Structure formats: structure tokens, C-alpha cells
Amino acid sequence: AQTVTQSQPEMSVQEAETVTLSCTYDTSESDYYLFWYKQPPSRQMILVIRQEAYKQQNATENRFSVNFQKAAKSFSLKISDSQLGDAAMYFCAYRPIYSGGGADGLTFGKGTHLIIQP
Amino acid sequence: EAQVTQNPRYLITVTGKKLTVTCSQNMNHEYMSWYRQDPGLGLRQIYYSMNVEVTDKGDVPEGYKVSRKEKRNFPLILESPSPNQTSLYFCASSRGGLGTYGYTFGSGTRLTVV
């Protein structure tokens, strides 16, 4: 079974600075998808960024980027120029590549609470 | 607007009183799933459905039932709720097949069983 580990229960960063959230995972598959979700106090789950394991290029979405290290099974999220609106819980998630059978839902980490200091 | 609609948003009930949390999506997604979120545990999958009339257990299915009679609806049923089912519940949907499809989540249902 796949597992996803987020080793930082809480992180704090000054507004406008850069912060990196860590995520490691364990899988025997060679191809899969990885995601970062944001959950603000409104509790809505918002997709931040996604990565295909077969792509070597790291995904980027505006101020959000990932550092995907397949061999190390690491998938960290970097937030540049942090803003107050970035304050939220962040969840790393894994999904098998083919949703054609078996339990292919998202496997989530336990989350990192990101605090933005003004 | 493409969305997943869950109802109710908040629910307080008593032990043993059957309840249903509804979930509906308007994106014609094949895949639907239920998660529960508990502090320090992240989100854990309860049940999922690959398509109409096809459902299967996730990681924490005990005490829950689901049905998928129509593609758009995927209700979560608690036949005899207990206090350990107090949690935040999310319904989610996704396209099926290959692809980096993220899930679209509902707004969540905060359930308290007393």
C-alpha cells in the first residue's frame, strides 16, 4: 500500500518570503501522479499543483512550484513571495496512474499547517 | 458551474439514528469517492465508485454504506452512527481512466454524533 508522509505538522514564514513544504511517499509503482492540495479555513479542498511521475520537468503554477525527486520519492512544494492568503493546511497526495480497478483513490499525507506572519 | 454539492454542511445527530449525507456532481465524472478528515490523520478514503452500480471499500469503510444508482449521485449512509464517526466528510469526483485528473471536492459536511 502507498503511504505519504509530511514530516512538518506546522510551518511559519514571513510574508513575501519563500517557504518549502516537504512530502515523501512510498510506492512500488513506476508511474503515478502527485498533487498538492490547499485547505484554507473555509475547509474547501483546492488543487494547487499536480505532477506526473513520468515527467522529469518540475511542475510550476505561478508562485507555486515543486521539486520532484523520483529516486528519493520526494515531492516538496515551494511557495515564493508568500502572501497572507496562502495561510492554510497543505496536503500532499498520491494517485495511481490508471483508475481502472482497485483502490485508486488519493492517498493523503497528514498535512502541514502553514502560518504566514505579516 | 462545475461542482460537487454536498448536503448538509453541518449535522448533529444522536447515536444510532440513521442518516444520509448527499453528494451530487454535474461534471459527468465516472469516479466518485468519500473521505473523512480527522485532526492529525489527514484524509482517509471510506468508499469509492468507479461508475454506476460499481462501488468498493476504501481504507476505513466500517460503519458506512454507499450506493451509486445514478452517475451524478453518491450518497453516504450511516445506518447506526456512533461518536467515533464524528468527523469532517468530503465527497469528491474525478474523470476516470488515464490522466492527471485531480479530484473536485465538495465543501464538506461536519458531522457530530452525540
Side-chain angles (χ1 to χ4, degrees), chain B residues 31-100:
Chain B
Y31 190 96
M32 297 186 75
S33 183
W34 276 101
Y35 290 83
R36 62 176 288 173
Q37 181 180 3
D38 301 290
L41 296 179
L43 284 82
R44 294 176 293 166
Q45 188 173 3
I46 303 170
Y47 268 93
Y48 65 95
S49 170
M50 302 297 296
N51 214 322
V52 176
E53 301 291 2
V54 181
T55 64
D56 208 345
K57 298 176 181 178
D59 298 320
V60 287
E62 293 78 20
Y64 305 94
K65 284 177 57 177
V66 293
S67 69
R68 188 91 181 272
K69 294 184 170 58
E70 306 164 283
K71 197 171 187 179
R72 64 183 293 126
N73 295 324
F74 191 46
L76 179 69
I77 302 157
L78 285 72
E79 294 270 3
S80 183
S82 62
N84 65 11
Q85 292 178 298
T86 292
S87 187
L88 178 59
Y89 292 86
F90 285 99
C91 180
S93 73
S94 171
R95 289 179 59 184
L98 290 168
T100 47

Side-chain angles (χ1 to χ4, degrees), chain A residues 33 35 37 39 42-45 47 50-52 54 89 91 95 97-111, chain B residues 9-10 31 35 37 40-43 45 48 50 57 88 90 94-103 105-110:
Chain A
Y33 305 123
F35 305 88
Y37 279 88
Q39 187 181 43
S42 68
R43 80 188 189 202
Q44 182 69 41
M45 294 290 288
L47 178 62
R50 70 189 80 188
Q51 174 81 42
E52 298 96 326
Y54 52 87
M89 283 291 289
F91 293 97
R95 181 180 186 178
I97 193 169
Y98 180 61
S99 49
D104 61 350
L106 291 167
T107 299
F108 285 89
K110 294 181 179 181
Chain B
R9 288 211 70 189
Y10 299 91
Y31 190 96
Y35 290 83
Q37 181 180 3
L41 296 179
L43 284 82
Q45 188 173 3
Y48 65 95
M50 302 297 296
K57 298 176 181 178
L88 178 59
F90 285 99
S94 171
R95 289 179 59 184
L98 290 168
T100 47
Y101 307 126
Y103 282 26
F105 282 82
S107 300
T109 296
R110 172 73 68 184

Side-chain angles (χ1 to χ4, degrees), chain A residues 3-11 20-25 36 73-77 89-92 108-113, chain B residues 40:
Chain A
T3 58
V4 177
T5 302
Q6 293 179 248
S7 58
Q8 306 151 317
E10 186 172 281
M11 292 281 286
T20 298
L21 308 184
S22 301
C23 173
T24 59
Y25 57 93
W36 278 98
K73 296 180 181 176
S74 172
F75 183 61
S76 60
L77 175 70
M89 283 291 289
Y90 286 82
F91 293 97
C92 179
F108 285 89
K110 294 181 179 181
T112 297
H113 182 211

